[in-house]
Amino acid sequence: MNSNVRQDASEINLDANVLIIGGGPAGTWAAWSAAKNGAKVVLVDKGYCGTSGAAAASGNGVWYVPPDPEQREAAMASREAMGGFLADRDWMTRVLDRTYDNINSLADWGYAFSVDANGQVIRRSLQGPEYMRFMRKKIKQAGVTILDHSPALELLIDAQGSVAGAKGINRQSGERWTVKAGAVVIATGGCAFLSKALGCNVLTGDGLLMAAEAGADFSGMEFSNAYAIAPAFSSVTKTRYYDWASFTYEDGTPIEGAGSKRGRSVIAKTLLTQPVYARLDQNMDEETKAWMRKSQPNFFVVFDRAGIDPFTQRFPITLRLEGTVRGTGGIRIADYTCATSVKGLYAAGDAATRELICGGFTGGGSHNAAWAMSSGYWSGQSAANYALSLGEANHRSVQGVGEAGLQGGGHSQFSPDEAIAATQAEVFPYDRNLFRTATGLSASLNRLDNLWQEIRHSRKPDDSQIVRSREAAAMVATARWMYNSGLQRQETRGMHKRMDYLQKDPNQQYRLLSGGLDKIWVKPESVVTNRELVTV
């Protein structure tokens, strides 16, 4: 451990210029960038940096486009309509440029990209396990201190309200840790509500709650109802392969209109009343089968273990909620530095809004993967520059701001597992979250608000329950930002579907900001194509 660590029997104390919370692609790029800009960096991860999180679990497509004007134009235009025309061309261009450079840097550093049948290097795809193992090695070489299995519990702020570090706990030893830092980057990923989606069970919205407690706000939280196709008996949510699938009822009759992309709502409506079966048998040949197995070997593990040939045999499927992980909502980005609305706090990856580059619709990998490495790079660089500019001001008195599920003066103790189950009952059902109505959203919010109050007025949990308590509080908070935003957007746009407002309303072509804890607020923000964002 680095010499700046002070350790006693019960707590680890570290001093850093920059603290990174989260060890996925956004967090590791942020850590590398901050270190390369002269900062002393600490990275804390809820799991083991390099193996935990959505990216580490499988292959990652990347929005990697060569700097050819026609290709870039096509790449930007392809998602604008799907995302409801809420994206920003300036941000798209910046992300395409940064992603192109970062991917090429990976090649220069020695990352082993796949090669196609013609011997051409494929730079639009990264193998998650190798990619994240590579990035862990890279940041350690850069001098970054890593605390694995060490979830952050709350942010620290100084007397002026600037973020100045965080506190947490080691899940394995129970040892508390404190990191005082000049700047903090939240790179904790999105929130999938413990749906068992592949790689997502560490993604419970913790960073969103911590940011809100420090005063940060959000954007696009209504675009949070992403569901991925998976075998009913598996957590593997690699929806891309279902482009080759046929979908049938239990008796083998085809389901009209069902599909991986534009027909997913048909699948959801069918699942409300009966099982749905799939088989990968559309336009399938041996070459495609071989490519599939090579590109995503983990997709086939569950089938091989079950003795099922997914190319010739039907299997039951389900839709697993991925929430804000494959949604586009998250912490609002205030400017090109990836700063939030709180001084000293930056956000990157799925913890931050991705509306800037894909509006109200995205998917796995692709734009999200590009955003992770780009926003990670910028946030780390910016956090380092800000922290180093503080000089001696970095040594300041601080206090924690965590409350819900962490502190409390009540007499009763809430059950984290019961709170999680109650939250899942509001966000998992397709007829509540995917097919939204004012009646359904309002009813869910009434129950979620009551649950939030129960958590807020409970007594302080003991250490054995403290991580789970914060996860429960974060999921409840995330659901409330989601549904309050969804209630205010009275139209269907991007992935947000209002069954009582089925059309897109040109008068609502704006982003929705949200925030607050005990009382949630939502307000519109106009969409502009330059770097200045104006509130309407």
Side-chain angles (χ1 to χ4, degrees):
M1 197 168 286
N2 287 4
S3 58
N4 62 317
V5 177
R6 304 184 305 278
Q7 184 172 357
D8 57 33
S10 60
E11 185 167 346
I12 298 174
N13 292 279
L14 301 91
D15 293 314
N17 300 120
V18 176
L19 169 64
I20 313 293
I21 305 178
T28 50
W29 275 101
W32 178 85
S33 183
K36 285 302 180 183
N37 279 275
K40 182 185 296 181
V41 182
V42 173
L43 181 148
V44 297
D45 196 323
K46 191 189 225 181
Y48 181 86
C49 171
T51 64
S52 71
S58 60
N60 295 253
V62 184
W63 199 37
Y64 172 85
V65 184
D68 173 78
E70 290 187 6
Q71 290 188 56
R72 288 285 176 90
E73 172 60 29
M76 290 189 285
S78 65
R79 288 288 182 96
E80 283 183 310
M82 292 175 67
F85 297 99
L86 298 181
D88 184 318
R89 283 282 181 117
D90 286 357
W91 273 99
M92 287 174 143
T93 300
R94 294 184 73 238
V95 168
L96 285 169
D97 287 344
R98 184 72 263 157
T99 301
Y100 185 78
D101 288 345
N102 283 8
I103 287 288
N104 292 342
S105 292
L106 283 174
D108 293 340
W109 295 339
Y111 175 80
F113 285 92
S114 300
V115 178
D116 64 20
N118 299 317
Q120 297 296 310
V121 175
I122 305 172
R123 295 195 177 181
R124 291 185 175 87
S125 179
L126 294 163
Q127 289 301 318
E130 287 81 3
Y131 174 34
M132 294 316 305
R133 185 162 55 243
F134 186 90
M135 289 303 295
R136 179 186 176 96
K137 180 179 178 181
K138 195 69 182 175
I139 66 173
K140 289 189 73 173
Q141 290 173 343
V144 175
T145 296
I146 302 173
L147 297 185
D148 294 308
H149 308 294
S150 298
L153 296 174
E154 63 178 325
L155 293 178
L156 304 174
I157 61 170
D158 66 12
Q160 285 71 48
S162 299
V163 171
K167 288 186 176 183
I169 192 170
N170 184 288
R171 298 176 72 122
Q172 296 178 327
S173 67
E175 195 170 36
R176 295 294 188 123
W177 58 260
T178 298
V179 178
K180 293 183 179 180
V184 174
V185 178
I186 296 282
T188 51
C191 181
F193 298 95
L194 294 175
S195 65
K196 295 184 171 63
L198 184 66
C200 291
N201 267 23
V202 292
L203 307 176
T204 51
D206 310 359
L208 306 186
L209 177 57
M210 287 187 285
E213 289 171 333
D217 52 7
F218 305 92
S219 183
M221 292 302 287
E222 70 273 32
F223 304 120
S224 51
N225 52 345
Y227 287 83
I229 303 173
F233 48 85
S234 167
S235 64
V236 179
T237 50
K238 302 308 295 182
T239 300
R240 172 75 171 89
Y241 281 4
Y242 293 93
D243 290 353
W244 286 268
S246 60
F247 299 93
T248 61
Y249 298 105
E250 191 168 11
D251 65 2
T253 305
I255 301 174
E256 185 176 353
S260 171
K261 293 180 179 177
R262 298 189 181 279
R264 209 172 303 181
S265 292
V266 175
I267 295 173
K269 288 177 181 177
T270 306
L271 283 168
L272 287 172
T273 60
Q274 59 189 297
V276 173
Y277 288 78
R279 181 168 55 207
L280 308 181
D281 57 3
Q282 300 297 297
N283 302 312
M284 187 62 62
D285 54 34
E286 294 304 316
E287 184 178 350
T288 303
K289 292 179 184 179
W291 165 77
M292 285 179 160
R293 281 193 172 271
K294 183 178 180 181
S295 298
Q296 299 283 0
N298 62 349
F299 179 89
F300 295 95
V301 171
V302 293
F303 294 110
D304 294 341
R305 287 175 177 170
I308 296 172
D309 181 353
F311 301 112
T312 61
Q313 295 175 276
R314 295 189 309 137
F315 54 93
I317 62 167
T318 188
L319 296 177
R320 294 197 183 278
L321 179 66
E322 293 179 309
T324 72
V325 177
R326 286 191 181 178
T328 65
I331 301 168
R332 182 174 72 90
I333 297 297
D335 57 36
Y336 280 166
T337 69
C338 288
T340 71
S341 55
V342 180
K343 200 168 186 179
L345 184 64
Y346 299 78
D350 292 349
T353 181
R354 281 131 289 153
E355 284 180 297
L356 297 166
I357 63 167
C358 48
F361 183 92
T362 185
S366 187
H367 291 62
N368 285 11
W371 173 252
M373 63 172 61
S374 298
S375 61
Y377 181 98
W378 293 319
S379 62
Q381 179 184 61
S382 304
N385 291 338
Y386 171 79
L388 292 170
S389 73
L390 294 175
E392 290 302 313
N394 191 26
H395 303 289
R396 46 194 164 159
S397 60
V398 298
Q399 64 178 7
V401 291
E403 293 186 2
L406 184 63
Q407 307 291 342
H411 297 293
S412 62
Q413 180 63 62
F414 85 99
S415 165
D417 288 341
E418 289 179 6
I420 289 167
T423 306
Q424 291 172 333
E426 304 301 333
V427 298
F428 281 3
Y430 315 134
D431 53 355
R432 293 189 190 181
N433 195 359
L434 185 58
F435 307 119
R436 295 170 168 177
T437 64
T439 300
L441 291 171
S442 296
S444 286
L445 279 170
N446 183 58
R447 291 184 288 268
L448 289 164
D449 287 345
N450 289 336
L451 185 56
W452 175 259
Q453 289 303 316
E454 179 186 345
I455 294 173
R456 290 283 279 119
H457 294 101
S458 67
R459 68 172 181 263
K460 182 178 180 179
D462 59 39
D463 280 3
S464 66
Q465 287 287 295
I466 201 162
V467 173
R468 198 67 162 177
S469 295
R470 283 295 269 176
E471 289 178 336
M475 283 187 268
V476 176
T478 302
R480 293 169 71 234
W481 294 314
M482 283 167 42
Y483 280 5
N484 275 283
S485 298
L487 190 61
Q488 179 148 331
R489 187 173 288 284
Q490 297 179 355
E491 63 164 352
T492 291
R493 185 183 295 269
M495 67 175 60
H496 171 69
K497 296 179 177 66
R498 281 290 295 267
M499 306 311 289
D500 44 359
Y501 295 96
L502 286 171
Q503 301 304 312
K504 187 184 300 178
D505 180 1
N507 294 318
Q508 294 185 54
Q509 189 178 329
Y510 46 63
R511 303 190 189 110
L512 287 179
L513 306 186
S514 58
L517 292 163
D518 293 333
K519 183 175 178 57
I520 305 298
W521 57 264
V522 181
K523 64 182 180 182
E525 177 190 65
S526 67
V527 178
V528 291
T529 56
N530 58 31
R531 64 185 67 180
E532 183 181 359
L533 297 176
V534 182
T535 300
V536 296

